Amino acid sequence: MISEANETGQRATALAHLTDTHAAFHRLLAEIGAGDWERPISGSAWNVREQVCHVANNMAFLYRNELLRTLKGKDAFKPPPFILNFANVLITRRGAKKSKAEAAALYDAGHAQYLAAIDTIRDDQWQRGAKNVLGEYRTVATCFAHLAEHFADHEGQIRSALSH
């Protein structure tokens, strides 16, 4: 069993990932002007609005479909890549009909679910793992790290679009 000090560190790290990413998401939203929402993302078929809404949708989706499943140690069904990619585009495009305020509310709702979950995760669960829909193995601890990594990837793309 991993030491209690390490588990406390994982809980603190997970909380830091959530808190820092939440603040960064809202800072980014505040920097997006009215004329920026439809700017294209270089090298992507998506625009700023779609990227922001993708990040917000993902926050809520990953709680239900990754963290809760990983806590149970259950691998996700791994669909063929063309189905997964099609579903991602469909969900993003459909979900991207939101305003900035709606995207912020969706992100905040997912964020609140993760915050509430942190205190319910037992020390022996942080290293429990399962494969996600991409077939990648994640532990409960790395589910939280992934949220920050996913946001950072898209934040860079969005900032690049805003700077042009």
Side-chain angles (χ1 to χ4, degrees):
M1 180 181 206
I2 297 173
S3 73
E4 185 175 326
N6 193 21
E7 297 303 342
T8 301
Q10 289 182 330
R11 191 178 312 277
T13 298
L15 182 59
H17 283 308
L18 282 176
T19 304
D20 295 348
T21 304
H22 182 263
F25 180 81
H26 282 280
R27 276 193 307 273
L28 180 62
L29 275 183
E31 294 171 25
I32 298 171
D36 297 328
W37 203 227
E38 301 301 323
R39 281 182 185 257
I41 301 289
S42 179
S44 171
W46 294 358
N47 61 29
V48 168
R49 174 181 43 83
E50 290 164 332
Q51 286 278 16
V52 167
C53 291
H54 167 75
V55 170
N57 286 332
N58 221 31
M59 177 60 87
F61 174 82
L62 287 178
Y63 173 78
R64 292 188 310 271
N65 295 294
E66 186 162 291
L67 181 63
L68 295 180
R69 186 187 31 70
T70 302
L71 278 164
K72 295 175 186 173
K74 294 185 177 183
D75 290 345
F77 168 71
K78 184 178 181 229
F82 76 92
I83 291 175
L84 190 60
N85 291 336
F86 176 76
N88 186 32
V89 170
L90 183 65
I91 291 166
T92 298
R93 294 259 161 90
R94 189 169 189 209
K97 297 179 183 189
K98 295 173 178 45
S99 66
K100 278 177 35 177
E102 291 168 325
L106 180 61
Y107 185 94
D108 289 348
H111 174 78
Q113 290 178 312
Y114 271 94
L115 279 177
I118 284 180
D119 289 331
T120 68
I121 298 170
R122 297 186 322 261
D123 288 348
D124 65 330
Q125 292 178 310
W126 286 97
Q127 292 307 311
R128 185 173 289 169
K131 290 183 181 177
N132 65 15
V133 297
L134 300 173
E136 301 165 339
Y137 184 82
R138 292 220 174 102
T139 65
V140 170
T142 59
C143 284
F144 287 90
H146 173 73
L147 292 172
E149 293 164 5
H150 181 256
F151 172 72
D153 288 345
H154 291 299
E155 178 187 28
Q157 295 168 333
I158 293 166
R159 287 195 183 286
S160 179
L162 296 177
S163 70
H164 289 102

